[in-house]
Amino acid sequence: LSEQSPDWGTHSKLFSTKTKGLRHTVPKNFPYFNLEWDTDGLVQVIESDSFPKDFGLDTIAGMIGVDPVSFNKFGKREAPDKDRAVAREFGILW
């Protein structure tokens, strides 16, 4: 996010959602990209119309080594055992 943020607008600061939550961190009707995990989260306000709609999907697909186009297809799922193996391998790498 910090590497890409200058492309999305002039405000490159990431905001934590830990204390106020997402709803009270981003003003109403502002576009944003949000990452959350167990106890915290980060949000980046998006000011550019050129922000890629599939940014999050493409990033996750790239992290696990899957083609983003096939990763997003509904109904065409890998076997559950293969999904588990990919998840385990991802956990080891990261």
Side-chain angles (χ1 to χ4, degrees), residues 15-48:
F15 298 97
S16 173
T17 58
K18 185 176 184 174
T19 55
K20 297 192 301 184
L22 179 61
R23 202 176 249 192
H24 298 291
T25 302
V26 179
K28 189 175 184 177
N29 296 323
F30 269 57
Y32 62 89
F33 186 79
N34 182 46
L35 298 170
E36 289 191 28
W37 52 94
D38 291 339
T39 59
D40 200 359
L42 294 173
V43 65
Q44 166 74 50
V45 174
I46 307 300
E47 300 172 3
S48 171

Side-chain angles (χ1 to χ4, degrees), residues 7-8 10 19-20 30-31 39 43 54 56 60 65 70 85 87 92 94:
D7 297 338
W8 304 332
T10 56
T19 55
K20 297 192 301 184
F30 269 57
T39 59
V43 65
D54 295 332
I60 298 296
S70 62
I92 292 168
W94 291 90

Side-chain angles (χ1 to χ4, degrees), residues 26-86:
V26 179
K28 189 175 184 177
N29 296 323
F30 269 57
Y32 62 89
F33 186 79
N34 182 46
L35 298 170
E36 289 191 28
W37 52 94
D38 291 339
T39 59
D40 200 359
L42 294 173
V43 65
Q44 166 74 50
V45 174
I46 307 300
E47 300 172 3
S48 171
D49 292 336
S50 65
F51 180 74
K53 185 178 179 181
D54 295 332
F55 174 78
L57 181 72
D58 291 345
T59 301
I60 298 296
M63 289 172 70
I64 62 174
V66 178
D67 176 40
V69 175
S70 62
F71 182 67
N72 194 25
K73 294 216 183 215
F74 293 103
K76 290 191 170 189
R77 301 287 302 166
E78 296 288 340
D81 292 337
K82 186 170 182 185
D83 284 344
R84 283 188 208 96
V86 169

